[in-house]
Amino acid sequence: MAQSIPLTIAVTLEWNGSDVDNDIVVYDVYFGTENPPSLNTNDITDSQIILPVSSNTINYWNIINRDSEGNTSESGVFQFRVM
């Protein structure tokens, strides 16, 4: 019986961060196939990132933003599957 080989492709995660003072300076991106996801990239200033994923895999992601005062807020964990 033939077995399908998972494909690796790239996806773009994009988000909108906000806080009451409008002074977000960096984001930490948590991403992976485990829930909760582990830290993938920290201290980025863009509100998007391109990451590789495999087909037929559930991926989890979470964004934590940090403002100029050091305060943080978290998006919560989201998930998606690439077919």
Side-chain angles (χ1 to χ4, degrees):
M1 178 178 222
Q3 193 173 32
S4 63
I5 299 171
L7 298 174
T8 301
I9 60 171
V11 296
T12 301
L13 300 179
E14 188 172 347
W15 58 90
N16 292 316
S18 64
D19 77 348
V20 295
D21 300 325
N22 200 27
D23 61 346
I24 294 174
V25 291
V26 294
Y27 301 96
D28 295 340
V29 178
Y30 291 75
F31 183 80
T33 57
E34 300 290 324
N35 187 8
S38 59
L39 181 64
N40 178 278
T41 308
N42 65 328
D43 295 340
I44 65 170
T45 56
D46 289 332
S47 59
Q48 69 176 18
I49 189 170
I50 299 171
L51 296 167
V53 296
S54 297
S55 60
N56 277 332
T57 303
I58 296 175
N59 299 279
Y60 300 92
W61 64 299
N62 181 22
I63 305 298
I64 296 178
N65 65 35
R66 193 166 38 259
D67 68 14
S68 62
E69 299 294 319
N71 300 311
T72 62
S73 64
E74 186 173 343
S75 69
V77 176
F78 295 92
Q79 71 179 40
F80 66 93
R81 178 192 303 259
V82 175
M83 301 307 276

